[in-house]
Structures are given as structure tokens and as C-alpha cells.
Amino acid sequence: MIVFCGSLGSTAEMWGPQLPVLGERQVVFVELPGHGRAALRDAPDLDALADAVCELVVDEPFTIVGLSLGGAVAMTVAARRPEAVEAVVLACTSARFGDRQQWLDRADTVRRAGLEPIVDAVLARWFTPDFDDVERWREMFLSVEPEGYARCCEALAGWDGSGDLRRIEAPTLVIGGSDDPTCPPAAAQEVAALVAHSRLAVIDGAQHLANVERPDEFNRLLEEYL
């Protein structure tokens, strides 16, 4: 079984470009609270988000693939459930996500004004200027419940996953985007350095949603690893 967990502000739709390489494998797409079909629920920290994954996934062992916040969730699950996780893919993620206050401020903005005020800034970090399918992903982002988005921002505020990364026992593939402004290659290198059994690949010409912007290269890495 393969479990996918995506970025803040995404739904299961973000993994559509990966469907061609999944074949007949059993797959679970985990959505964050208030994202896609996932109900709004308390998400005070990464442990709570990891609990939501473990509630959905009953078959073990499984491979977990996470991107961005989903990568933080994946590393938390892998550290807490070493007997259940047989392999890990951590894409466009980091051991920490910036200043605590910036996330609390973003949560406040979204609660007051919705997602519209931040959508352009988010998309500019997700994709390079040459990417020509932005509108589809704008609609996905704006479909998210603002309260769910805000709660996930608060879960990230002040989070540090370096301890969890050191506890991961499963073999781990770390994927970075060469032009990712949110989790640059240096962040991917740090993640890989903290995991005992890991290898690192950086996709050229990709920003934060590397699996969408460069699906051929992302899928090649994923298929080889699986």
C-alpha cells in the first residue's frame, strides 16, 4: 500500500499526475483537515495530523509519500510507527518551515479574509513563471476551507522535525526542486542528512509542487523507488 499526503492548500487532486505510474497498487490519498473531502478537525500539531493518517491506514506495512506539509506528516508517521512504514518519500519538504509568527499571521489573515488574499503569492511559490496550467491549481487551492487551512498553519508554527527525521528507520527518498523557494535544495540536503538510510534527488526547473510541474521526472524517481 502507498499512502500519499499533500501540501498545505491542496487536495488529493494534486497527485493526479502520479496516477499513470501507480498501476494496480493499493493507494490511499490522505487530505489535510478541511482540504478536499476531509472533514474539519482539530489539528493543534503534527502529531494530530499524523494520527489522522494512522486512523485511515489499516493495512501494514505501507510506503508513505509526502510533499511539503505532507512531508512533515510523513516523517512524523515514519518516526512514530517504524514497524508499519517500509519506505518513505519526502518531497519538497523541510525539517522546519520558517518563523513561527509568519504562520500565525497567515492563519489570522485567512480567518479574516479567506484564501483570496494569499492565492497569488502561494502559486508564485508553487510554480515557475513558465508553468502554463496555473488556473487549475488556483481553483484547487481556493476550494480549501479557510478554517482548515488556518489550523494547519498553526500546526506548522514553531514545528521542528529534526528529531523525527533522526528516528526514521525505513529507507527514504528525498526529492527537492532546484528552484523551490519554500524548501530549497539546501533544505532537502538537510533532510537527507538527518535520515540514516536516504538518498537525495533534485529535479531541475521545478519549484514547490515539483510533482505537478515536472511530473515525468518526479514519476521516474517515484517508480524507480517503488
Side-chain angles (χ1 to χ4, degrees), residues 122-155:
V122 169
L123 291 172
R125 300 180 77 82
W126 278 7
F127 305 116
T128 63
D130 293 335
F131 184 69
D132 61 3
D133 192 22
V134 173
E135 285 308 309
R136 171 185 174 187
W137 306 103
R138 178 189 296 272
E139 291 177 9
M140 179 191 71
F141 182 82
L142 293 176
S143 74
V144 171
E145 288 189 46
E147 180 60 26
Y149 188 96
R151 291 183 188 185
C152 288
C153 287
E154 291 168 342

Side-chain angles (χ1 to χ4, degrees), residues 34-99:
H35 292 55
R37 297 182 178 181
L40 193 62
R41 61 183 286 171
D42 289 338
D45 51 33
L46 264 293
D47 284 342
L49 295 177
D51 286 342
V53 173
C54 295
E55 289 170 10
L56 281 174
V57 182
V58 295
D59 290 341
E60 299 177 3
F62 58 87
T63 293
I64 188 163
V65 180
L67 186 146
S68 190
L69 173 52
V73 174
M75 63 182 78
T76 305
V77 171
R80 290 176 55 185
R81 299 282 302 280
E83 77 289 350
V85 177
E86 61 183 353
V88 185
V89 179
L90 302 175
C92 302
T93 193
S94 178
R96 63 198 63 81
F97 285 84
D99 178 67

Side-chain angles (χ1 to χ4, degrees), residues 21-37:
V21 298
L22 296 178
E24 299 301 316
R25 295 180 175 94
Q26 187 178 4
V27 178
V28 173
F29 296 106
V30 177
E31 294 179 308
L32 298 165
H35 292 55
R37 297 182 178 181

Side-chain angles (χ1 to χ4, degrees), residues 72-214:
V73 174
M75 63 182 78
T76 305
V77 171
R80 290 176 55 185
R81 299 282 302 280
E83 77 289 350
V85 177
E86 61 183 353
V88 185
V89 179
L90 302 175
C92 302
T93 193
S94 178
R96 63 198 63 81
F97 285 84
D99 178 67
R100 177 177 183 273
Q101 192 59 47
Q102 75 175 10
W103 292 107
L104 299 179
D105 291 344
R106 188 185 295 194
D108 181 62
T109 295
V110 168
R111 283 197 175 100
R112 286 186 293 102
L115 293 169
E116 284 281 359
I118 67 169
V119 61
D120 290 333
V122 169
L123 291 172
R125 300 180 77 82
W126 278 7
F127 305 116
T128 63
D130 293 335
F131 184 69
D132 61 3
D133 192 22
V134 173
E135 285 308 309
R136 171 185 174 187
W137 306 103
R138 178 189 296 272
E139 291 177 9
M140 179 191 71
F141 182 82
L142 293 176
S143 74
V144 171
E145 288 189 46
E147 180 60 26
Y149 188 96
R151 291 183 188 185
C152 288
C153 287
E154 291 168 342
L156 267 180
W159 172 79
D160 188 327
S162 55
D164 283 339
L165 287 165
R166 292 187 180 95
R167 290 195 294 273
I168 294 176
E169 299 176 4
T172 301
L173 172 64
V174 181
I175 301 175
S178 65
D179 301 327
D180 187 348
T182 301
C183 300
Q189 291 165 5
E190 180 186 14
V191 169
L194 289 170
V195 179
H197 307 288
S198 69
R199 71 179 182 92
L200 171 66
V202 176
I203 299 177
D204 288 337
Q207 286 196 185
H208 196 50
L209 258 61
N211 71 303
V212 172
E213 186 162 28
R214 294 292 307 279

